[in-house]
Amino acid sequence: MLVQREFDIREDCWSGAKDRIEDMPDAFVDYLETRIVEYFLDLDEVPTDTQVNDFIWFGEDTYAEWFGFRDSEQMWKYFDILDSGYSEDEIFVDMSGEIFTADDIIREYGEFLSTEDAEDYDYADWTEWAEDNDYATFETNV
């Protein structure tokens, strides 16, 4: 017997998938829901609740890539940084793919400036400095 129903990933997930959804910013949840629909359409199958739930719970490297991250570890670090109060324009990536905040860069490189100079710098100054020194503002696909 085939049973189809509407599945809202914000309301209908359980266990680890529910935790994953709760830990994601809303824009990423919206994007994930759209991509999951496309994913199962490409497979030409109607997924069960369990298939959708398990994909969200265990498929994090796949959707991390959809979002534009190298892997799920980088994605969760980015979400943790956002959750701690940083804005997207205060998150940088270096050439190796490591993610940093403006404060990380200030801690790392502020020692090269006198204390007075470091205190006078604001995030806009550090953003310019970071981009001049092979850091880039991290861009996602969302």
Side-chain angles (χ1 to χ4, degrees), residues 108-132:
E108 176 105 9
Y109 295 102
E111 67 190 54
F112 296 111
L113 300 170
S114 71
T115 305
E116 266 182 26
D117 290 341
E119 289 172 2
D120 290 339
Y121 267 63
D122 63 15
Y123 282 138
D125 294 325
W126 282 106
T127 299
E128 183 178 327
W129 182 92
E131 290 171 353
D132 288 345

Side-chain angles (χ1 to χ4, degrees), residues 35-83:
R35 290 300 306 262
I36 288 173
V37 169
E38 293 170 0
Y39 174 78
F40 282 105
L41 283 173
D42 286 347
L43 294 176
D44 200 28
E45 68 179 79
V46 177
T48 65
D49 293 3
T50 302
Q51 286 175 301
V52 173
N53 189 79
D54 287 355
F55 180 81
I56 293 168
W57 193 353
F58 302 111
E60 63 186 348
D61 279 328
T62 299
Y63 56 81
E65 187 178 308
W66 291 345
F67 295 156
F69 297 101
R70 174 185 60 214
D71 54 30
S72 60
E73 182 180 333
Q74 187 184 52
M75 174 184 73
W76 293 117
K77 182 174 182 179
Y78 182 86
F79 292 162
D80 287 344
I81 291 170
L82 285 177
D83 196 43

Side-chain angles (χ1 to χ4, degrees), residues 3-4 7 9 14-15 33 37 46 55 64 75 77 87-88 100 118 126 141:
V3 177
Q4 291 181 330
F7 188 89
I9 64 175
W14 62 91
S15 296
E33 190 163 39
V37 169
V46 177
F55 180 81
M75 174 184 73
K77 182 174 182 179
S87 66
E88 291 177 353
F100 300 89
W126 282 106
N141 294 333

